[in-house]
Amino acid sequence: DIQMTQSPSTLSASVGDRVTITCRASQSISTWLAWYQQKPGKAPKLLIYKASSLESGVPSRFSGSGSGTEFTLTISSLQPDDFATYYCQQYNSYSWTFGQGTKVEIK
Amino acid sequence: QVQLQESGPGLVKPSQTLSLTCTVSGASISSGSYYWNWIRQPAGKGLEWIGHIYVRGSSIYNPSLKSRVTISVDTSKNIFSLALSSVTAADTAVYYCARVRLNVYYGSAKTDAFDIWGQGTMVTVSS
């Protein structure tokens, strides 16, 4: 299986901060990568697919970049609603796998 | 508006079979444009893809669970189901059903991300 490693595991930030989360794949996955946001007690929500495509309805402050083995999710100006856990996921090859998650906390 | 809803027992005894159903509304499960998935998440932990089914093809499962998993579909009821046999406490988790789109990239159909999720259902394995 392709291993997905996110960093950091926890991130403390303030409203208005620019936030970047990194996801590394154990082998090349081209751009077959998605990012999800999950809040406590809720299902994950798709933010970004194919590494950099913004899902319909998702605010433009979210953006994704990268290819191959290194990817980033950026929140340009953190909003109160953005405090949550973020997961990356590869769908280049089976078995589809997720990163361990990055929790974005209030500083 | 497409919605997915999981249902099934919240408590399963060890060694028995966990059975869950996902009801799809707002879209036809018979559409060739989607794959239908199960994903789980133990409390306080990350997400694990269990497997998926495509109505115009076969099912594919996570190798770590393959010997115990069956995903099936009932197009007449617009539902798909998960059966996980010989469960242990390690199978205790929130179970989600989710949809994957088929998109065309570079002239070929390719599975995309999980775009629609159910709300999740908690299953506890305990005697």
Side-chain angles (χ1 to χ4, degrees), chain B residues 18-90:
Chain B
L18 179 161
S19 297
L20 296 174
T21 295
C22 183
T23 300
V24 179
S25 58
S28 172
I29 206 167
S30 300
S31 167
S33 298
Y34 307 110
Y35 281 60
W36 305 98
N37 297 260
W38 288 97
I39 297 153
R40 69 181 183 179
Q41 185 174 35
K45 296 188 178 181
L47 298 155
E48 180 181 34
W49 176 72
I50 298 171
H52 67 204
I53 190 164
Y54 181 55
V55 291
R56 299 183 184 180
S58 59
S59 303
I60 297 180
Y61 304 128
N62 188 323
S64 68
L65 298 168
K66 186 176 182 179
S67 64
R68 299 194 290 129
V69 172
T70 302
I71 298 177
S72 58
V73 64
D74 185 336
T75 54
S76 66
K77 296 180 180 178
N78 220 40
I79 62 173
F80 64 105
S81 301
L82 169 69
L84 181 65
S85 63
S86 305
V87 296
T88 70

Side-chain angles (χ1 to χ4, degrees), chain A:
Chain A
D1 290 359
I2 297 175
Q3 306 304 314
M4 306 300 293
T5 304
Q6 290 181 231
S7 60
S9 296
T10 306
L11 186 160
S12 296
S14 302
V15 172
D17 284 353
R18 182 181 180 86
V19 167
T20 298
I21 299 169
T22 297
C23 178
R24 289 187 173 87
S26 60
Q27 64 190 73
S28 178
I29 58 170
S30 183
T31 55
W32 305 115
L33 182 106
W35 290 97
Y36 302 88
Q37 176 194 67
Q38 187 178 33
K39 296 181 179 179
K42 300 293 187 182
K45 172 188 173 184
L46 177 63
L47 301 175
I48 301 285
Y49 63 97
K50 207 174 178 297
S52 59
S53 296
L54 191 68
E55 177 70 352
S56 177
V58 174
S60 59
R61 63 181 180 272
F62 291 94
S63 64
S65 64
S67 66
T69 61
E70 188 153 338
F71 302 86
T72 58
L73 172 70
T74 300
I75 309 173
S76 60
S77 177
L78 198 65
Q79 298 301 300
D81 191 49
D82 301 337
F83 292 97
T85 300
Y86 294 83
Y87 293 94
C88 63
Q89 177 242 334
Q90 69 81 18
Y91 50 98
N92 176 71
S93 60
Y94 294 110
S95 171
W96 295 343
T97 46
F98 294 85
Q100 82 280 14
T102 295
K103 186 175 183 179
V104 177
E105 297 181 329
I106 300 172
K107 192 172 184 178

